[in-house]
Amino acid sequence: MQEYDVLILGSGLAGMTLALQLADTHKIAMVTKRSLTDGASQWAQGGIAAVLDQTDSIDEHVDDTLVAGAGLCDEAATRFILEHARSAIEWLIELGVPFTPDAAHETGFHLTREGGHSHRRIIHAADATGAAVIATLADKVRQHPNITLLEQHIGLDLITGKKLGREEAGCLGAYVFDKQADRVITLLAKHTVLATGGAGKVYLYTTNPDTATGDGIAMGWRAGCRVANMEFIQFHPTCLYHPHAMSFLISEAVRGEGGLLKLPDGSRFMPAHDERHELAPRDITARAIDFEMKKYGLDCVYLDISHQPPEFVKEHFPTIYQRCLELGIDITRQPIPVVPAAHYTCGGLVTDLAGRTDVAHLYAIGETACTGLHGANRLASNSLLEALVLGREAAEHIAAAEPAPQLAVPAWDESQVSDADEEVVIAHNWDELRRFMWDYVGIVRTDKRLERAAHRIALLKREIDEFYRHFRVSNDLIELRNLVDTADLIVRSAQVRHESRGLHYSRDYPATLPQATPTILPGR
């Protein structure tokens, strides 16, 4: 058993931010199931939304967020997070994040615009903002003597007082699977933080890395935390469609800088779907693309930025330009084939604005959490912002909070299990889950599709629970168990919502109800 002041499960922007805020005064363990920089934050292209321009205002950023969120944003939480945006950006600048400069702008940095925003307010590092931010923070995390980095480890289950007959004790740490040593270790902590990201890998097509398996959401729910708004899975409108390009995102900023969506014959279609054309929010744009693809039986549509000067395209989108060129697509002369793909989990564990969950001494931040900022549809580039702001707020709260009590915690017991006899069961179940979630719980839903998905999830849960009880755990089994729990939460949330709102579109309930209410499911 190892003991720490703070245990952080996850190593994206939220987790790193919290760790660096506390590391000078706290002994910290950071658990990450691959390497430090393998999370979704690293993949973020567009940037971070913040009011940095005198022509812009917090009120306008709030209004844009509320409009995109389709009436379901918590306005107080939204305003709080957006009001703290500038100081969070200034902290990153102090740490040395190399944002794209612009000598002509009052801030000294270039600001771009993305769908749903009324102003240029996205500060970015070319088209690889996440990589630049994570590289800067990762260097500092690795160098800090108070941060113990546990790579190739994955959280298995939270240790709670409830399981030990002392519910008031809250969360005491976690059982963690060491993948290299092939054993479960016990990590105890005064405060535990879930920062494991979202659950995009529950779908067949996603822009997310392979690490996005809903681990924190599932672990928190199993520990008794409420879960909110899981039906709102954001499908990014423009994922590169190419057999050799898995999960490569084409940034929202391409449309923000004049990119046009077209059919194979070169005609535009967004003007027929929304008055904002290509700058409509993601939910509207993704549904429009899905509609056109189904209408004409298309494999993809096209995003065209070739009318801009080649130098402009290469300067603003060097990563996208280079990756497409490697695949034989010169985006200065050719349109980019794109399809929608699962991108962001707007719901998650219910938290307050200090990241606190329903379980004492347990926090959730970043995509794992649901603060009320994203509502029924996340506004572009508000995600990295939320991770930053809530990482800082949770750190401040932890620094002043009472620690979890010290209780006698049993080590992980695997004396009653054996090695798995057929690992192929896990691979087959994983593939089945992702395919039926894509087919039945995708961009457009119906009651019948959701019923089919629920039936299959129930069968899978029984099979996986039996497997879990009888065999030693593995990384694949842990991830599959978490994905099935997360898929169950998504489907149950979707079945509760009898309307179409934001990212949840139902053919059976196409109207939007006059009153917007969150979907909240109790913890297990």
Side-chain angles (χ1 to χ4, degrees), residues 305-357:
I305 189 79
S306 64
H307 52 278
Q308 295 281 28
E311 297 75 21
F312 176 92
V313 174
K314 293 175 187 178
E315 178 188 353
H316 283 76
F317 309 110
T319 307
I320 295 172
Y321 171 76
Q322 189 58 45
R323 181 64 178 132
C324 288
L325 200 61
E326 291 169 2
L327 298 168
I329 305 166
D330 182 351
I331 68 173
T332 66
R333 298 187 299 107
Q334 299 167 275
I336 309 166
V338 294
V339 292
H343 181 61
Y344 191 85
T345 309
C346 288
L349 302 177
V350 175
T351 72
D352 65 9
L353 292 174
R356 290 181 293 182
T357 69

Side-chain angles (χ1 to χ4, degrees), residues 472-491:
R472 297 180 70 235
V473 297
S474 65
N475 178 78
D476 290 349
L477 177 58
I478 294 168
E479 289 186 331
L480 178 61
R481 179 178 176 235
N482 290 334
L483 277 174
V484 170
D485 280 344
T486 306
D488 182 39
L489 293 169
I490 293 170
V491 171

Side-chain angles (χ1 to χ4, degrees), residues 38-301:
D38 274 341
S41 298
Q42 164 84 8
W43 291 38
Q45 293 178 349
I48 307 172
V51 174
L52 303 170
D53 190 314
Q54 289 186 1
T55 65
D56 198 1
S57 71
I58 299 291
D59 285 344
E60 289 172 292
H61 192 179
V62 169
D63 287 345
D64 291 345
T65 302
L66 297 182
V67 169
L72 205 58
C73 299
D74 182 306
E75 188 167 351
T78 298
R79 184 169 293 277
F80 177 89
I81 293 168
L82 303 189
E83 285 176 345
H84 287 76
R86 186 176 191 123
S87 63
I89 297 295
E90 289 169 349
W91 178 69
L92 291 181
I93 293 170
E94 287 173 14
L95 292 180
V97 174
F99 291 115
T100 298
D102 182 354
H105 194 270
E106 62 187 82
T107 63
F109 297 101
H110 183 266
L111 302 181
T112 191
R113 185 181 175 191
E114 295 180 340
H117 288 275
S118 58
H119 286 268
R120 285 182 172 268
R121 63 168 70 101
I122 317 299
I123 190 168
H124 60 102
D127 62 347
T129 306
V133 172
I134 291 300
T136 304
L137 270 60
D139 284 345
K140 300 187 183 304
V141 167
R142 289 191 185 280
Q143 293 167 15
H144 205 290
N146 281 353
I147 301 176
T148 299
L149 181 59
L150 299 172
E151 295 178 304
Q152 302 300 323
H153 287 65
I154 179 173
L156 176 52
D157 261 323
L158 296 170
I159 301 168
T160 61
K162 183 179 181 180
K163 296 174 184 175
L164 302 173
R166 290 277 305 277
E167 186 163 356
E168 77 284 355
C171 185
L172 307 170
Y175 293 115
V176 171
F177 181 62
D178 179 342
K179 299 199 291 187
Q180 292 176 314
D182 193 28
R183 67 189 179 110
V184 177
I185 61 174
T186 306
L187 302 181
L188 303 181
K190 297 171 183 174
H191 307 281
T192 302
V193 183
L194 296 170
T196 62
K201 294 302 285 188
V202 79
Y203 287 99
L204 185 60
Y205 301 111
T206 177
T207 64
N208 291 181
D210 290 342
T211 54
T213 52
D215 302 330
I217 296 170
M219 290 171 68
W221 173 73
R222 290 196 297 265
C225 297
R226 287 172 300 154
V227 174
N229 295 342
M230 286 297 292
E231 68 270 40
F232 298 112
I233 302 294
Q234 187 174 78
F235 288 79
H236 197 288
T238 53
C239 185
L240 179 62
Y241 179 74
H242 193 282
H244 303 301
M246 291 295 291
S247 308
F248 187 75
L249 178 68
I250 304 300
S251 170
E252 189 104 3
V254 174
R255 288 187 286 130
E257 295 294 344
L260 303 174
L261 285 164
K262 297 180 177 180
L263 296 172
D265 64 3
S267 62
R268 293 174 64 193
F269 57 86
M270 281 307 298
H273 291 271
D274 193 274
E275 61 185 11
R276 290 160 290 190
H277 302 179
E278 278 76 10
L279 290 177
R282 290 177 177 175
D283 58 333
I284 294 170
T285 307
R287 274 201 304 276
I289 294 172
D290 183 68
F291 175 86
E292 298 292 339
M293 287 173 59
K294 287 175 177 172
K295 179 179 179 181
Y296 294 106
L298 305 174
D299 291 326
C300 65
V301 296

Side-chain angles (χ1 to χ4, degrees), residues 404-474:
Q406 290 185 314
L407 299 180
V409 173
W412 184 257
D413 180 12
E414 54 182 30
S415 60
Q416 304 300 311
V417 297
S418 61
D419 290 331
D421 52 1
E422 287 188 344
E423 291 283 350
V424 71
V425 171
I426 296 174
H428 285 180
N429 286 353
W430 180 297
D431 184 63
E432 180 186 351
L433 174 70
R434 296 181 69 202
R435 287 184 182 279
F436 73 64
M437 285 296 289
W438 181 262
D439 290 339
Y440 299 148
V441 200
I443 296 172
V444 177
R445 300 162 180 175
T446 66
D447 281 352
K448 184 168 285 188
R449 291 177 186 176
L450 293 175
E451 286 171 13
R452 287 171 177 161
H455 176 68
R456 283 160 174 77
I457 287 171
L459 294 175
L460 281 182
K461 279 176 75 79
R462 286 200 293 271
E463 196 166 305
I464 292 163
D465 285 346
E466 182 180 358
F467 203 91
Y468 182 76
R469 286 196 305 271
H470 289 92
F471 300 114
R472 297 180 70 235
V473 297
S474 65

